[in-house]
Amino acid sequence: MSKITHLTQKLEKDNIFAAVLSDPVSINYLTGYLSDPHERHMYLFVFADKSPLLFLPALDVARAEATLDFPVVGYQDSENPWEKIKAVLPATDWPQVAVEFDNLNVTKFKGLQTVFSGEFVNLTPTLQQMRLIKSADEIEKMLVAGDFADKAVQVGFDNISLDVTETDIIAQIEFEMKKQGINKMSFETMVLTGNNAANPHGIPGTNKIENNSLLLFDLGVETLGYTSDMTRTVAVGKPDQFKQDIYNLCLEAQLTALDFIKPGVTAAEVDAAARNVIEKAGYGEYFNHRLGHGLGMDVHEFPSIMAGNDMEIQEGMCFSVEPGIYIPGKVGVRIEDCGYVTKNGFEVFTQTPKELLYFEG
């Protein structure tokens, strides 16, 4: 069954006769066509009883028609997209229309209100459930993305020097990935030295790599339509025993969670498996984010692996396991792997060693 057929059957079951997809990743997931319209408009209209229709900028029509086997309609920049949408749709007076609440901005939402007279209902949960369990083919693609992440972080390791800055290392990583055919990183690559790593979302800059300190790498690539995400923290020179102890505590928390994961446990229990290790050591307040997030065509997907989420873990789910300990002014450590749930446990996409690696300062 195609993904669009799956969606149309769901719409029919819920007595909803039309859905509007606005997220380019959602459109790619359902159709295999990927395009970023930037400030322009692109919508996939899916109907319970008719062929779908893709509406997009005229400049992208030829490529879309070469990919898709259903109608494609383009609009010129000088045209009013809402008027054209209303003219080309088979109807606009359905009682309910499903739209992606998590994607639409106010401008697009108000524009769609000029087209449809019915009530808007949230399509996002349906799409989240469809994307939750990955197929064997999807997992294979994510393994490829994970392998490239391992290669990328190794480039980072190879460029560690006290003579370079955080952004110098990032430039080398992304240059090498481009040479290997990776056009896009999953997110802004992070290389954070010393106290800068004590901010979970620190911003790399012109900070020279610090000696006798820890250095954090957080990166991923996008390839074959799927993403990867990993974090490694390494030692430069000879960090003091306190920093090494914090690293080893974070590693113990991650390994404990990885060993705990299996079908039937809950997301909250997975989070607790790691968090309890850190809390028992007295550093719970310094682990200030969820343990993990879903991963797939987007680098952050449903679900969240966190306290309060009683969703049962199922075979085929893919998510990150990334405990961190961030003590301002002293040390920051995060260790992250993403992986997939098997019948009996959890397999990771990234294989870079996790024992504390030491590099000369």
Side-chain angles (χ1 to χ4, degrees), residues 24-61:
V25 177
S26 299
I27 294 170
N28 182 25
Y29 176 75
L30 288 175
T31 69
Y33 175 75
L34 177 62
S35 179
D36 184 351
H38 301 290
E39 75 281 4
R40 296 181 173 94
H41 297 271
M42 180 173 71
Y43 306 100
L44 175 66
F45 297 93
V46 178
F47 310 106
D49 57 352
K50 299 177 180 64
S51 295
L53 181 149
L54 182 66
F55 181 87
L56 76 173
L59 55 90
D60 293 323
V61 165

Side-chain angles (χ1 to χ4, degrees), residues 167-333:
T167 51
D168 287 337
I169 295 178
I170 291 169
Q172 290 300 318
I173 291 170
E174 297 190 355
F175 175 64
E176 184 59 34
M177 287 299 98
K178 290 283 188 182
K179 288 168 60 179
Q180 295 191 34
I182 297 299
N183 292 321
K184 184 179 179 182
M185 305 301 285
S186 299
F187 52 92
E188 294 288 335
T189 301
M190 294 169 61
V191 175
L192 305 172
T193 186
N195 292 336
N196 203 18
N199 184 335
H201 281 170
I203 299 175
T206 56
N207 311 298
K208 287 283 188 75
I209 302 307
E210 294 181 22
N211 199 17
N212 302 323
S213 189
L214 298 181
L215 179 63
L216 186 150
F217 294 81
D218 190 353
L219 55 79
V221 309
E222 184 177 309
T223 184
L224 304 174
Y226 287 80
T227 60
S228 56
D229 185 4
M230 70 178 297
T231 307
R232 291 294 185 269
T233 305
V234 301
V236 180
K238 297 180 179 179
D240 62 39
Q241 191 61 48
F242 176 73
K243 293 182 176 66
Q244 295 178 58
D245 290 345
I246 292 297
Y247 181 90
N248 290 328
L249 177 62
C250 190
L251 179 58
E252 180 186 354
Q254 202 227 18
L255 295 176
T256 299
L258 291 174
D259 288 343
F260 179 81
I261 299 167
K262 62 182 177 181
V265 302
T266 68
E269 289 170 338
V270 175
D271 180 278
R275 197 170 302 276
N276 288 344
V277 173
I278 295 172
E279 288 179 345
K280 287 177 181 177
Y283 294 98
E285 66 181 293
Y286 302 110
F287 178 15
N288 55 12
H289 56 73
R290 63 189 175 183
L291 179 66
H293 56 81
L295 184 86
M297 299 183 89
D298 278 316
V299 72
H300 279 195
E301 289 192 0
F302 177 78
S304 286
I305 308 302
M306 64 181 185
N309 183 3
D310 293 328
M311 171 179 281
E312 190 173 287
I313 300 300
Q314 303 173 57
E315 183 180 356
M317 283 185 178
C318 297
F319 51 82
S320 70
V321 178
E322 49 180 304
I325 302 173
Y326 315 94
I327 305 175
K330 293 185 178 181
V331 66
V333 176

Side-chain angles (χ1 to χ4, degrees), residues 326-345:
Y326 315 94
I327 305 175
K330 293 185 178 181
V331 66
V333 176
R334 183 167 61 255
I335 304 169
E336 174 188 15
D337 293 287
C338 296
Y340 60 98
V341 182
T342 66
K343 289 182 179 179
N344 302 307

